[in-house]
């Protein structure tokens, strides 16, 4: 019997074809099992977010089971509080709906008059065309509503089982580490732990940074809308900020509703222009200063790769895919950077070195400005204290 050749090197075309077949099979099953896969991925992200609190409670002497339970309850209470605040804002917005409807009707009457004067289209013909249009929308809307109801029901069912996944992911976290060490037995354990640590750092940095950025952007949006006198300004401001979970386009989607409200509730269209200007300014501020400084260069995914992954995630899993696109891309980049054969793909996902250097310089400039501000405040405080001390000494004399 002839000896079996060892370390056969396949041609590049064969290896590429084999890789494409494997990726196609994986993507197919990820699409078929989309609800299960997305639920598991969200559970992993939330468990990473809860791990610091769980670890702190365990170091304080609590058992792992009790520490995880307290962490889940704490996060659940925070989420419930946020939902209650948003619920109150939605209720205020719903009370404003009759006024919005009246404004829309008045605006439609003006449009009808303008169309009649400009194009000599009689109002009766306009109404007929509008009725046909609304009928088509209603016919298509039935399926949309049915899909929305089924999606909402599925989402509520998934949310109810989400804490169970999070609990066991945190409880068996040491076993998962050992699992990766056994799967990649030929790789040093230190290297595996290093890669897992980088993945944890990237995801945790993304989640904590996203929370801080959402609070800052929501506050800026709300202040701008309050200055313009837009109704339910806080609701619209933080709704657009929450949509930052969809990078680059989330805040643009969130700006559509307040622009419409400004057009309907205000007499001048310049208010809508002002709303668009505020959201554009906040978007530029968020993309160039806030997010780079807070999140830093730990998620160094270039915008082109992020947008492509957004479209792929949306096509694969819908809204859940849009939310998961950026953290999954960051995780893939970490893995690609650590595997020698995949380093070119990691380089393609990342940002150029010049961009990272510019970001570091920008961060140093911002830190220097903060330091100058703090020093100025401290000097002013000392001067005020010394002034009050002199006044007290004068009064006592």
């Amino acid at each position: 019997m002839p000896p079996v050749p060892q370390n056969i090197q396949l041609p590049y075309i064969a290896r590429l074809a084999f890789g494409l077949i494997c990726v196609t099979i994986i993507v197919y099953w990820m699409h078929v099992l989309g609800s299960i896969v997305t639920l598991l991925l969200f559970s992993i992200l939330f468990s990473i977010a809860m791990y610091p609190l769980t670890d702190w409670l365990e170091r304080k002497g609590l058992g792992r089971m009790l520490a995880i339970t307290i962490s889940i309850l704490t996060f659940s209470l925070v989420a419930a509080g946020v939902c209650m605040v948003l619920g109150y804002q939605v209720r205020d917005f719903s009370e404003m709906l009759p006024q919005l409807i009246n404004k829309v009707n008045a605006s439609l009457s003006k449009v009808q008059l303008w169309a009649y004067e400009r194009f000599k289209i009689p109002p009766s013909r306009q109404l007929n065309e509008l009725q046909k249009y609304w009928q088509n929308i209603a016919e298509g809307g039935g399926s949309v509503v049915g899909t929305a109801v089924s999606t909402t029901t599925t989402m509520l069912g998934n949310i109810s089982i989400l804490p169970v996944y999070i609990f066991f992911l945190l409880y068996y976290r040491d076993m998962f580490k050992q699992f990766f060490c056994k799967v990649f037995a030929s790789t040093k354990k230190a290297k595996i732990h290093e890669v897992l640590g980088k993945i944890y750092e990237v995801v945790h940095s993304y989640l904590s940074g996203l929370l801080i950025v959402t609070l800052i952007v929501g506050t800026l949006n709300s202040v701008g809308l309050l200055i313009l006198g837009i109704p339910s300004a806080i609701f619209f401001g933080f709704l657009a900020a929450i949509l930052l979970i969809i990078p680059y386009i989330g805040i643009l989607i969130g700006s559509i509703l307040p622009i419409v409200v400004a057009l309907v509730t205000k007499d001048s269209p310049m208010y809508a222009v002002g709303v668009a200007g505020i959201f554009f300014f906040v978007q530029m501020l968020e993309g160039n200063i806030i997010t780079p400084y807070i999140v830093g260069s730990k998620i160094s995914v270039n915008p082109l790769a992020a947008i492509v992954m957004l479209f792929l995630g949306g096509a694969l899993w819908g809204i859940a895919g849009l939310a998961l696109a950026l953290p999954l891309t960051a995780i893939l980049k970490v893995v690609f950077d650590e595997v020698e054969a995949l380093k070119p793909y990691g380089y393609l996902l990342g940002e150029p070195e010049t961009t990272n250097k510019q970001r570091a310089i920008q961060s140093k400039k911002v830190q220097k400005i903060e330091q100058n501000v703090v020093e100025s405040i401290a000097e002013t405080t000392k001067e005020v204290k010394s002034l009050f001390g002199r006044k007290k000494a004068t009064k006592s004399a």
Side-chain angles (χ1 to χ4, degrees):
M1 182 177 179
V4 179
Q6 300 292 329
N7 299 326
I8 299 176
Q9 185 68 28
L10 295 175
Y12 174 76
I13 297 298
R15 286 184 281 121
L16 178 63
F18 180 74
L20 291 175
I21 292 172
C22 292
V23 170
T24 302
I25 295 172
I26 292 172
V27 171
Y28 171 76
W29 282 110
M30 287 172 68
H31 177 69
V32 172
L33 304 174
S35 59
I36 299 174
V37 174
T38 53
L39 181 62
L40 185 60
L41 291 174
F42 277 118
S43 302
I44 293 172
L45 293 180
F46 286 130
S47 62
I48 291 175
M50 296 181 191
Y51 173 73
L53 178 59
T54 304
D55 183 61
W56 180 79
L57 291 173
E58 289 180 9
R59 284 189 279 105
K60 291 295 181 181
L62 295 179
R64 176 168 293 189
M65 187 177 295
L66 182 58
I68 295 171
T69 304
I70 293 175
S71 300
I72 294 175
L73 288 176
T74 302
F75 274 75
S76 300
L77 290 174
V78 172
V82 172
C83 291
M84 286 179 63
V85 173
L86 290 177
Y88 283 122
Q89 291 293 322
V90 171
R91 186 187 65 181
D92 294 339
F93 177 68
S94 63
E95 292 175 355
M96 190 180 63
L97 280 178
Q99 180 186 358
L100 289 176
I101 293 173
N102 293 332
K103 289 279 189 178
V104 169
N105 292 331
S107 300
L108 286 176
S109 300
K110 293 180 181 179
V111 171
Q112 287 178 353
L113 181 61
W114 176 81
Y116 178 71
E117 293 176 350
R118 188 70 180 270
F119 303 104
K120 302 302 179 182
I121 302 175
S124 58
R125 183 180 172 185
Q126 297 178 32
L127 289 174
N128 291 332
E129 293 296 329
L130 283 173
Q131 286 176 356
K132 291 179 182 179
Y133 197 68
W134 282 112
Q135 186 176 0
N136 293 332
I137 293 176
E139 290 176 356
S143 60
V144 173
V145 171
T147 304
V149 171
S150 61
T151 302
T152 304
T153 305
T154 305
M155 184 181 66
L156 291 175
N158 291 340
I159 290 175
S160 64
I161 202 172
L162 192 66
V164 178
Y165 280 112
I166 295 172
F167 179 86
F168 286 112
L169 284 171
L170 288 172
Y171 190 78
Y172 293 116
R173 59 181 184 266
D174 296 331
M175 187 177 71
F176 293 125
K177 290 182 180 179
Q178 294 300 322
F179 165 76
F180 285 111
C181 292
K182 291 180 181 295
V183 170
F184 304 102
S186 59
T187 307
K188 294 181 180 180
K189 288 186 178 181
K191 185 67 175 178
I192 296 174
H193 290 161
E194 180 185 354
V195 174
L196 293 176
K198 287 183 179 180
I199 292 174
Y200 166 78
E201 186 179 1
V202 165
V203 175
H204 191 267
S205 174
Y206 171 74
L207 293 176
S208 59
L210 183 64
L211 177 61
I212 297 172
V213 170
T214 300
L215 293 175
I216 295 174
V217 171
T219 303
L220 293 175
N221 290 338
S222 302
V223 170
L225 295 177
L226 285 171
I227 292 173
L228 291 177
I230 304 299
S232 302
I234 298 177
F235 169 69
F236 291 131
F238 277 91
L239 176 64
I242 291 172
L243 289 174
L244 283 173
I245 195 172
I246 306 174
Y248 304 108
I249 59 175
I251 195 170
L252 298 178
I253 297 173
S255 64
I256 294 174
L257 192 56
I259 289 174
V260 173
V261 171
L263 285 172
V264 173
T265 58
K266 299 296 182 180
D267 297 330
S268 174
M270 294 306 296
Y271 283 95
V273 176
V275 172
I278 288 171
F279 279 93
F280 178 77
F281 173 75
V282 173
Q283 170 74 9
M284 293 297 102
L285 198 65
E286 179 268 332
N288 294 289
I289 296 177
I290 299 175
T291 297
Y293 177 64
I294 293 176
V295 179
S297 60
K298 294 178 180 178
I299 304 180
S300 55
V301 177
N302 67 72
L304 177 60
I307 292 172
V308 171
M309 294 302 291
L310 278 174
F311 282 113
L312 292 177
L316 186 62
W317 294 322
I319 297 176
L322 294 174
L324 291 168
L326 192 57
L328 288 181
T329 305
I331 292 173
L332 284 176
K333 187 182 182 308
V334 171
V335 176
F336 289 169
D337 288 341
E338 297 299 328
V339 179
E340 191 65 32
L342 299 176
K343 280 186 177 181
Y345 302 101
Y347 174 79
L348 188 63
L349 291 176
E351 292 183 342
E353 295 180 1
T354 54
T355 305
N356 291 329
K357 290 179 181 178
Q358 291 172 358
R359 183 174 294 177
I361 293 172
Q362 188 178 26
S363 298
K364 289 180 180 178
K365 288 181 179 179
V366 175
Q367 290 175 356
K368 189 174 181 180
I369 293 172
E370 287 184 346
Q371 185 178 1
N372 292 335
V373 171
V374 171
E375 290 177 356
S376 300
I377 293 173
E379 291 177 0
T380 305
T381 306
K382 289 180 181 178
E383 291 177 359
V384 172
K385 286 182 178 179
S386 62
L387 181 62
F388 277 103
R390 291 171 188 170
K391 288 183 177 180
K392 288 181 180 179
T394 305
K395 288 181 180 179
S396 60

